[in-house]
Amino acid sequence: MTTERPLALIAGASRGIGRAAAQELARAGYNIVGWYRSNEAASEETAKLVAAQGGQYTGMQVDVRDEDSVRDGFKQLRGLDGTLSSVVITSGITKDGLAATMSTEKFRDVVETNLFGTFYICRTAMRAMRKTGGAIVLLSSTSGISGQPGQANYSASKGGVNALTQALAKEGAAAGIRVNAVAPGFTDTDMFRSMDAAARQRLTAQIPLGRVGEPEEVARAIRFLATDESSYITGQILAIDGGITA
Ligand SMILES: NC(=O)c1ccc[n+]([C@@H]2O[C@H](COP(=O)([O-])OP(=O)(O)OC[C@H]3O[C@@H](n4cnc5c(N)ncnc54)[C@H](OP(=O)(O)O)[C@@H]3O)[C@@H](O)[C@H]2O)c1
């Protein structure tokens, strides 16, 4: 049986912001394909949460650092119901440390996941959506708007995501493909909780709204940019940060 529901691909849907975006887009009427790196149990949990919103969920293990893995992931979409309408790229990692003592490996891991991985997905997504149009939402960060000490690798990767968003928006416009990014501040996910408690407390004290964000608060902005609600918006980087970049 085929469904009329459009399809949204979310890279990094197994946890955090990606999981919240999967639920939000399922509520908006989408079937979801969710990619994860290795955490199959978390992906299965996302599947249950999406099903509770009335959406179909297909979990796939795809390593976004590997362009062949990304291509294979897109090939597997062909057998699924629904037209690919939205692509959301929430896969991302941090490996913090001061640049003066940072290993090349740490720099490369973060840039390969956050920037190259995003490029591999966008490249194939733009080909897949060239006849139908669609919306792509990239995950930047406030660290990509203003570089952060201890995050040279991460800030560089997210600054790259911002420039990629603008370039791809101009390339995709003629085909009706909109490309935008959200730039969260501190958001309560595993990534934020992996920082030590003292750092979290110090950083939270700098947020004008006085608290970290919830993944659902980022997911609502992702839904807006990933659907026709934002039909005349492209090439924008929307900060969702409790006022940090104000
Ligand atoms: N949380 C924050 O404070 C914050 C702030 C600003 C920006 N962001 C950005 O928002 C995005 C989501 O962050 P989050 O906090 O939700 O992170 P998270 O809770 O750590 O989840 C990361 C997700 O990315 C997936 N992933 C990581 N490496 C991957 C790879 N090589 N291939 C495929 N999937 C991969 C993980 O899969 P597995 O479950 O299999 O590991 C997981 O689903 C990231 O781009 C992050 O940089 C987060």
Side-chain angles (χ1 to χ4, degrees), residues 14-132:
S14 47
R15 291 183 286 121
I17 293 169
R19 174 184 278 173
Q23 294 172 85
E24 188 67 33
L25 284 171
R27 260 196 298 281
Y30 286 71
N31 286 336
I32 311 291
V33 173
W35 289 354
Y36 63 95
R37 176 183 45 190
S38 57
N39 199 334
E40 193 176 352
S43 173
E44 284 168 5
E45 182 59 27
T46 302
K48 283 186 203 150
L49 293 165
V50 166
Q53 304 301 330
Q56 283 178 17
Y57 186 84
T58 309
M60 292 180 192
Q61 184 176 16
V62 173
D63 186 341
V64 302
R65 291 168 300 184
D66 174 351
E67 54 186 319
D68 292 331
S69 179
V70 169
R71 272 198 205 99
D72 284 350
F74 271 96
K75 276 187 197 146
Q76 290 181 60
L77 298 186
R78 289 185 199 148
L80 301 175
D81 283 352
T83 304
L84 180 66
S85 305
S86 304
V87 174
V88 180
I89 307 170
T90 64
S91 40
I93 59 168
T94 50
K95 289 196 175 180
D96 295 351
L98 292 174
T101 51
M102 183 178 285
S103 66
T104 304
E105 194 190 2
K106 246 181 161 177
F107 191 88
R108 186 179 287 132
D109 278 354
V110 170
V111 174
E112 282 189 349
T113 303
N114 297 359
L115 183 56
F116 280 65
T118 298
F119 166 67
Y120 297 147
I121 296 168
C122 288
R123 179 171 60 186
T124 307
M126 290 182 77
R127 282 204 292 267
M129 298 195 298
R130 71 188 183 284
K131 290 191 179 141
T132 53

